[in-house]
Amino acid sequence: MPEILKMRHGLEDISISDLVAEKESHIQITHKAFVSKLLVKGIHWDSEIETSIEDIFGVFPKRGRVVSNDSWSAVSWGGNEYLMITTDTSLLLKTLDDHKQSKENGIVMVDVSSAYECISISGIAVIDLIKTCCFLDVDDPSFSNNSVATCRLGPFRVVMHKISQPRLFEFYVERSLAIPFVRYLVVNGYPFKVSYLTS
């Protein structure tokens, strides 16, 4: 316990690699780089944008869920907002270009690829780590696979996506907070043996 407290107080002077487990780990933290992101919003507050998203991206989004096709994932981002995700940057650029030519669908698209980072955590102790930092009951049956919630994980506001069993979650966090967020996860996950990777 004293070792953990000491690390928490001296966090700004410690690199992530100094904290992670050298051998077997029970939690894996992975930075998912090179993911392109488009925030899609309705022009009017009461806009029904799901049909427009299906027309453009070929996937019908659902509130509180993540749905996918071969090219895109649609993450429920808030009231009348969805985050469209792809690993194909050229597809994102083409979609933006096509949308500039036709704005009759009542939606606005903003490239937020550089605004948010995606961090995934997996492993047998993931639920334990989340419960030490968050009041959301991620074990509740209503929070099933592909559910999304905006919540606080410690001091950080994140969008949490429960992907699958065994334990796998993705978190979207503002880019400027990504390194402090990972450090926070590593320090709180220290008792569970944490490893850190970059995809």
Side-chain angles (χ1 to χ4, degrees):
M1 182 66 75
E3 184 181 8
I4 297 172
L5 291 175
K6 180 181 177 183
M7 290 191 328
R8 284 178 177 163
H9 288 298
L11 190 58
E12 64 279 356
D13 300 321
I14 297 174
S15 70
I16 293 169
S17 60
D18 292 333
L19 296 170
V20 300
E22 293 182 6
K23 297 182 181 178
E24 180 182 357
S25 61
H26 295 157
I27 296 175
Q28 297 78 44
I29 301 174
T30 306
H31 171 219
K32 297 185 68 177
F34 311 113
V35 176
S36 297
K37 310 168 196 80
L38 273 179
L39 183 61
V40 181
K41 305 176 70 168
I43 291 175
H44 306 290
W45 176 251
D46 59 350
S47 298
E48 295 291 336
I49 67 172
E50 287 79 10
T51 302
S52 296
I53 289 175
E54 183 179 33
D55 291 342
I56 296 169
F57 299 95
V59 55
F60 188 81
K62 298 178 181 177
R63 304 284 169 100
R65 306 285 294 170
V66 174
V67 295
S68 302
N69 62 16
D70 293 337
S71 304
W72 293 94
S73 292
V75 180
S76 181
W77 200 250
N80 219 25
E81 296 181 344
Y82 292 90
L83 189 69
M84 304 304 300
I85 300 170
T86 182
T87 55
D88 186 345
T89 303
S90 62
L91 182 59
L92 179 142
L93 294 174
K94 181 181 184 306
T95 303
L96 277 174
D97 188 54
D98 290 346
H99 180 66
K100 287 177 183 176
Q101 298 173 26
S102 174
K103 293 189 177 180
E104 299 175 359
N105 45 37
I107 63 175
V108 173
M109 295 184 201
V110 181
D111 184 354
V112 294
S113 300
S114 60
Y116 295 95
E117 294 286 0
C118 181
I119 308 292
S120 71
I121 59 174
S122 59
I124 60 174
V126 163
I127 298 293
D128 299 314
L129 172 57
I130 293 174
K131 285 185 173 182
T132 65
C133 313
C134 181
F135 290 110
L136 181 66
D137 186 1
V138 292
D139 267 342
D140 191 299
S142 65
F143 196 67
S144 57
N145 292 349
N146 284 318
S147 291
V148 181
T150 300
C151 59
R152 284 207 167 268
L153 206 67
F156 300 94
R157 182 184 180 277
V158 298
V159 174
M160 180 192 310
H161 171 204
K162 183 177 183 179
I163 297 178
S164 66
Q165 305 289 0
R167 314 303 190 193
L168 176 59
F169 291 79
E170 284 184 350
F171 296 90
Y172 295 91
V173 62
E174 291 179 25
R175 172 167 287 199
S176 62
L177 299 175
I179 291 175
F181 176 67
V182 171
R183 285 181 175 167
Y184 178 84
L185 290 177
V186 169
V187 169
N188 282 275
Y190 183 75
F192 310 117
K193 298 181 181 177
V194 177
S195 64
Y196 174 72
L197 304 168
T198 301
S199 64

